[in-house]
Amino acid sequence: AGGIFVMPAIYMLDLHADFLKVFIAASLGGVLGILFLIPFRKYFVKDMHGKYPFPEATATTQVLVSGAKGGNQAKPLLFAGVVGGLYDFIVSTFGWWNENFTSRVFGFGEYLADKAKLAVLGLGYIIGLRYAAIITFGSLAVWWVIVPLMGLIFPDTVLNQWDPTITATVGSMSPEEIFSHYARNIGIGGIAMAGIIGIVKSWGIIKSAVSLAAREMKGKGAGQSEVLRTQRDISFKIIAIGSIVTILITFAFFYAGVMDFNLLHAVVAILLVAIIAFLFTTVAANAIAIVGSNPVSGMTLMTLILASVVMVAVGLKGEAGMLSALLMGAVVCTALSMAGSFITDLKIGYWIGTTPKKQETFKFLGTIISAATVAGVMILLNKTYGFTSDKLAAPQAHAMAAVIAPLMNGQGAPWLLYAIGAVIALILDRCKISALAFALGMFIPIQLNIPLVIGGALNWYVTTRSTDAATNKARGEKGTLIASGFIAGGALMGVVSALLKFGGIDFNYDAWWQNHLSEFLSLAAYLLLISYFIIATRQKEEKK
């Protein structure tokens, strides 16, 4: 689903794209993502084992292992799942307390407008304090420094050079509007530069993967019988041939599937897609390995910007240009989304001892089925509700449509904001700070980042309270189990809540959430959740 969220932008711009185009773009992107990732499996999954937290893979593995062991291993996981699930279910269904606790409950907070969502903190616990803190500092830099400064420096200015739909002055905008229209673009620039830095640093890995593929193509690689079962991949010869065939099919799709596309346009389009998808695959995998969050929307926005600029340069503008850029973005977006999710699957497989070759084989079937399913659902949603209506907000798609339309109509892009983000990323990298984590914090809304640092701090507290290293380790493992339960329980009950609303069971709690007391109640509930976490992890030592 995350791989083709550019499709609503097609409908917002009133472009012609039937189910077949949507399905083909998503399928080709998914296949490319799998093919491009497999050569890097050994590096991310095996060679760097223990150096990346892999939060989502850790949580899923804990669920699988605990379920297999049963007994005492499964009990804390199940109980944590119930607790986390009830917490989310009560908030999303009945609205007993607010989903957010904001600084607006205080007088000065109305000006600062720092927004901190109190959601499940399990992901932050698994990520750890260091990366969680870097991500949160990125958010704080945007919300506490950049957004207030823009409101002070440009109070009476309309900064709409790249987006003519902006008619309000900066000073009249809410902090959230300043973030979405301006400050978030700095994060996009930071993500792009962090991606370039990651590509440069990973160049040796890329060369090694390509060299290994070349050796296997010549028959000089180790035979499958000589490789451990748990390290067997699909033959690099098949990967190379499959990549070439998929790229050729994508080229044919661009040439025949987009109106007014000539041979030059198709060649330029396939070169852009292949290069960007291949290089950004390592960025997506790296982001998932570090923070469990794939910056696919930011990288897709950069792809759309580059595609628009280049396609305009080769003479393709207007409606045909917008459709071509969006289809190119759809292929890249799906490739990066698939690569990010697949590296999680492969890491889980590494931990539980599966055969990578089997995982890789079945993943191709999965991407075709999901492309057909999700593409159909999106088209159905558009016909039923309409992505241009208020019923389907689709904020990422709105951002993509807003970015691509002015570029294809001869207007510019917020290059200055992108450049600021790029400079920040370069400085952070020189200071040995994760530029990608910081840029992700600048791009992802702060309500999703504050819980990360709380969870990271909880990890530090739980694993350092005892003078006995063995006890700290046992507590940390118990905490990972509980955090995994929080994540799984919250996700499952979120689906139940959505189904209830779909069935017409919907409680109106908007008026109550406007009351600041609902926010204080949310703070109390969250503190109870943290207290339970700490008490539950202590049980290990008490049994000794």
Side-chain angles (χ1 to χ4, degrees):
I4 53 173
F5 61 78
V6 297
M7 292 308 167
I10 292 177
Y11 302 115
M12 292 174 188
L13 293 169
D14 196 25
L15 303 176
H16 176 70
D18 53 23
F19 173 83
L20 186 61
K21 288 181 181 177
V22 177
F23 169 71
I24 292 175
S27 299
L28 291 172
V31 172
L32 277 178
I34 297 169
L35 290 169
F36 287 166
L37 179 71
I38 292 174
F40 302 107
R41 181 200 65 81
K42 184 180 177 184
Y43 172 78
F44 284 106
V45 172
K46 181 177 179 292
D47 295 351
M48 298 299 287
H49 180 64
K51 297 183 180 180
Y52 287 137
F54 275 100
E56 287 191 351
T58 301
T60 307
T61 304
Q62 287 285 352
V63 171
L64 293 173
V65 172
S66 298
K69 289 182 178 180
N72 293 330
Q73 285 289 323
K75 285 179 183 178
L77 177 71
L78 291 173
F79 192 73
V82 171
V83 172
L86 285 175
Y87 182 93
D88 268 15
F89 184 72
I90 290 172
V91 173
S92 58
T93 304
F94 303 108
W96 286 4
W97 53 78
N98 205 307
E99 189 179 30
N100 300 306
F101 180 81
T102 71
S103 63
R104 287 191 174 94
V105 299
F106 309 106
F108 70 91
E110 187 70 33
Y111 179 72
L112 293 177
D114 165 38
K115 192 176 183 183
K117 183 178 181 181
L118 295 179
V120 178
L121 48 77
L123 199 62
Y125 180 91
I126 297 172
I127 291 172
L129 182 58
R130 181 173 181 269
Y131 283 116
I134 294 173
I135 295 170
T136 305
F137 282 137
S139 283
L140 295 178
V142 168
W143 286 93
W144 283 10
V145 178
I146 295 175
V147 168
L149 280 178
M150 291 194 72
L152 289 172
I153 297 173
F154 307 106
D156 302 317
T157 307
V158 180
L159 302 175
N160 64 347
Q161 294 88 341
W162 59 88
D163 187 355
T165 63
I166 299 174
T167 57
T169 62
V170 177
S172 64
M173 289 182 176
S174 68
E176 289 79 7
E177 288 174 328
I178 296 176
F179 170 75
S180 61
H181 287 305
Y182 304 120
R184 200 175 196 186
N185 290 311
I186 297 176
I188 294 174
I191 290 172
M193 180 54 68
I196 294 171
I197 293 170
I199 291 168
V200 172
K201 290 184 175 180
S202 303
W203 193 247
I205 305 165
I206 296 172
K207 285 177 61 179
S208 297
V210 173
S211 298
L212 179 59
R215 287 199 304 272
E216 292 216 2
M217 286 286 287
K218 296 177 182 178
K220 297 180 180 179
Q224 288 290 311
S225 60
E226 302 174 28
V227 181
L228 289 174
R229 177 190 61 79
T230 54
Q231 292 302 316
R232 290 177 191 167
D233 291 298
I234 292 176
S235 169
F236 273 54
K237 185 178 293 186
I238 295 177
I239 294 171
I241 295 173
S243 298
I244 292 171
V245 170
T246 305
I247 289 173
L248 289 175
I249 295 174
T250 308
F251 168 78
F253 168 63
F254 286 152
Y255 188 53
V258 183
M259 51 188 167
D260 297 333
F261 238 36
N262 59 33
L263 184 61
L264 174 62
H265 298 154
V267 170
V268 171
I270 193 59
L271 287 175
L272 274 175
V273 165
I275 293 171
I276 293 173
F278 179 73
L279 294 179
F280 271 178
T281 291
T282 58
V283 180
N286 195 48
I288 287 290
I290 293 175
V291 299
S293 177
N294 193 345
V296 63
S297 54
M299 291 188 288
T300 303
L301 279 169
M302 288 305 302
T303 300
L304 290 174
I305 292 167
L306 291 173
S308 299
V309 171
V310 173
M311 298 313 289
V312 167
V314 295
L316 193 64
K317 300 180 181 179
E319 184 176 339
M322 286 187 282
L323 181 59
S324 66
L326 284 169
L327 289 177
M328 291 163 64
V331 174
V332 172
C333 181
T334 314
L336 300 181
S337 180
M338 186 61 68
S341 63
F342 193 29
I343 198 66
T344 296
D345 297 343
L346 291 170
K347 187 64 178 181
I348 296 168
Y350 177 79
W351 274 326
I352 64 178
T354 61
T355 304
K357 183 179 179 180
K358 291 184 178 180
Q359 288 182 278
E360 293 157 3
T361 302
F362 280 98
K363 196 68 172 181
F364 289 108
L365 177 62
T367 191
I368 301 299
I369 293 174
S370 61
T373 304
V374 179
V377 169
M378 287 193 172
I379 292 174
L380 181 64
L381 286 173
N382 180 61
K383 290 183 177 180
T384 304
Y385 300 106
F387 282 106
T388 56
S389 69
D390 295 332
K391 295 181 179 179
L392 296 173
Q396 304 290 18
H398 276 287
M400 292 174 184
V403 164
I404 199 172
L407 286 171
M408 282 297 177
N409 292 325
Q411 297 172 0
W415 299 115
L416 178 60
L417 298 179
Y418 296 154
I420 292 172
V423 171
I424 291 174
L426 285 170
I427 294 172
L428 290 170
D429 183 69
R430 297 301 298 172
C431 296
K432 307 298 181 183
I433 299 173
S434 175
L436 179 59
F438 192 90
L440 280 170
M442 298 178 74
F443 177 76
I444 301 172
I446 194 170
Q447 60 265 35
L448 300 179
N449 293 332
I450 289 294
L452 289 179
V453 77
I454 296 175
L458 195 57
N459 180 303
W460 169 82
Y461 180 83
V462 166
T463 57
T464 58
R465 290 305 88 196
S466 175
T467 56
D468 181 25
T471 298
N472 284 333
K473 182 180 179 182
R475 284 180 172 179
E477 291 175 352
K478 185 75 171 291
T480 300
L481 201 64
I482 296 170
S484 302
F486 280 1
I487 295 170
L492 289 173
M493 295 309 294
V495 173
V496 173
S497 178
L499 289 174
L500 288 176
K501 291 183 178 180
F502 181 78
I505 303 175
D506 193 5
F507 297 88
N508 187 358
Y509 41 79
D510 292 341
W512 164 237
W513 276 21
Q514 294 298 317
N515 191 323
H516 288 321
L517 288 176
S518 68
E519 297 187 36
F520 281 111
L521 188 58
S522 74
L523 181 60
Y526 199 61
L527 291 175
L528 285 174
L529 198 67
I530 294 173
S531 300
Y532 157 72
F533 197 110
I534 296 173
I535 293 171
T537 55
R538 280 174 137 179
Q539 292 177 357
K540 187 77 177 180
E541 188 178 36
E542 288 170 5
K543 288 182 179 181
K544 283 187 171 184

